Amino acid sequence: MADRHTDVTASARFDAENCSLKDILERVGDKWSILVVAALAREPYRFRALQRAIEGISQRMLTLTLQRLERDGLITRTVLDLRPPRVEYALTATGRSLTIPLRSLADWAEEHRGAISASRARWDAKQPPPGSSAS
Amino acid sequence: MADRHTDVTASARFDAENCSLKDILERVGDKWSILVVAALAREPYRFRALQRAIEGISQRMLTLTLQRLERDGLITRTVLDLRPPRVEYALTATGRSLTIPLRSLADWAEEHRGAISASRARWDAKQPPPGSSAS
DNA sequence: CGGTATCCGGGACGATACTG
DNA sequence: CAGTATCGTCCCGGATACCG
């Protein structure tokens, strides 16, 4: 036994952490935040460069995401007053520490991506496509 | 050196994984999915029990979340045809494997929650509260 | 360049009612 | 109990325009 269901979690902490987990997910749990942290994990970026590095992010969302991350103390914002203005973003120590669990998540994603796609394909095949037996 | 900024990520994979990471985040990246997996990591649950275990989730969202997770092959849905009907949800092997990175994320959250709150408080204190100098 | 302010459309989500 | 279907709302986030 012991393989039955649950030992991998090995603790009630998951339970107790629900609130804090839920809580944290609302801060760093969104796609853009994670992608920004992932980008900054490679190297500091300037605003524009960051926007170019993260495909699909709008200026607005980048601004908002960066502000939230700065507020949470995960990144620093450094203004170099040159001409033209230059603003550099970089991870703080806390931000850097986040990249560790983030990487394990990324690794998991990479490892199981195929299985998930396959499962989806199987599931979809079984679903009654709308209009299958309609007149 | 090596302490400069980035070695904690140690690879370009973060970059290469951006798509897959982004991709996976859209499946398991939402709050409810994670909380459901966390709950099922403890033990299998029936629908109602699950709803009670996850505070704040609506019936609709629970249904949708469970369906997506089943589609992705992360959980199993077992119908016991008793009276009244009984449906049990449990993690698959893949689902169980997800609890590992999930726990490292939860641990991170737990460890840095205080720092984040503090940082927020500091940041908020510096912001011009709306109406600060208004009549 | 590095933002802020505003508008607005679509989708996520909750509430409710109904079914087997 | 374990869902499905429908409706209405809210707010997320893109597009756009403008400022320092």
Side-chain angles (χ1 to χ4, degrees):
Chain A
M1 40 288 313
D3 71 271
R4 249 191 87 246
H5 31 80
T6 203
D7 291 348
V8 72
T9 65
S11 80
R13 307 226 359 239
F14 241 8
D15 189 33
E17 310 305 357
N18 257 355
C19 327
S20 106
L21 181 54
K22 185 193 283 185
D23 206 42
I24 249 58
L25 285 174
E26 281 169 17
R27 299 157 217 258
V28 300
D30 72 293
K31 184 172 63 167
W32 295 137
S33 291
I34 294 190
L35 291 176
V36 166
V37 171
L40 293 180
R42 293 197 289 279
E43 56 178 337
Y45 272 93
R46 294 170 52 196
F47 190 88
R48 279 299 205 187
L50 206 42
Q51 188 172 10
R52 265 176 260 113
I54 301 175
E55 180 141 26
I57 195 170
S58 66
Q59 188 175 31
R60 172 188 159 81
M61 286 317 294
L62 181 55
T63 300
L64 289 177
T65 303
L66 288 171
Q67 285 173 349
R68 285 183 211 134
L69 290 174
E70 190 194 0
R71 180 165 110 106
D72 288 353
L74 300 181
I75 65 175
T76 59
R77 176 178 183 273
T78 311
V79 181
L80 291 309
D81 56 341
L82 310 166
R83 242 272 8 204
R86 202 168 254 254
V87 182
E88 281 234 336
Y89 292 92
L91 293 183
T92 61
T94 305
R96 251 175 283 126
S97 73
L98 176 57
T99 64
I100 296 175
L102 233 44
R103 271 178 48 75
S104 73
L105 194 64
D107 289 346
W108 181 91
E110 175 65 8
E111 185 176 348
H112 298 279
R113 178 170 30 164
I116 291 177
S117 291
S119 176
R120 288 181 150 210
R122 246 176 286 121
W123 198 91
D124 290 351
K126 279 190 266 188
Q127 293 315 303
S132 54
S133 68
S135 71
Chain B
M1 43 268 326
D3 72 271
R4 249 188 89 244
H5 32 79
T6 202
D7 291 349
V8 72
T9 64
S11 78
R13 306 228 357 238
F14 241 8
D15 189 32
E17 309 307 357
N18 256 355
C19 326
S20 106
L21 180 55
K22 185 193 283 186
D23 205 42
I24 248 57
L25 285 173
E26 281 169 17
R27 301 158 215 258
V28 300
D30 70 291
K31 184 174 62 167
W32 295 137
S33 292
I34 294 189
L35 292 176
V36 166
V37 170
L40 293 179
R42 294 196 289 278
E43 56 178 337
Y45 272 94
R46 294 169 52 194
F47 190 89
R48 278 300 206 185
L50 207 42
Q51 187 172 11
R52 263 177 261 113
I54 302 174
E55 180 142 24
I57 194 169
S58 66
Q59 189 175 33
R60 172 189 161 79
M61 286 317 294
L62 181 55
T63 301
L64 289 176
T65 302
L66 288 170
Q67 285 173 350
R68 285 182 210 134
L69 290 175
E70 190 194 0
R71 179 166 111 104
D72 288 353
L74 300 182
I75 66 174
T76 59
R77 177 179 182 272
T78 311
V79 180
L80 291 310
D81 56 341
L82 310 166
R83 246 272 6 192
R86 203 167 253 255
V87 182
E88 283 234 335
Y89 292 92
L91 293 183
T92 61
T94 304
R96 251 174 284 126
S97 73
L98 177 58
T99 63
I100 298 174
L102 233 45
R103 271 178 49 76
S104 73
L105 194 64
D107 289 346
W108 181 91
E110 175 65 7
E111 186 176 348
H112 295 93
R113 177 169 34 165
I116 290 176
S117 292
S119 176
R120 289 182 149 209
R122 246 176 287 122
W123 198 91
D124 291 350
K126 278 190 266 186
Q127 294 314 304
S132 54
S133 69
S135 72

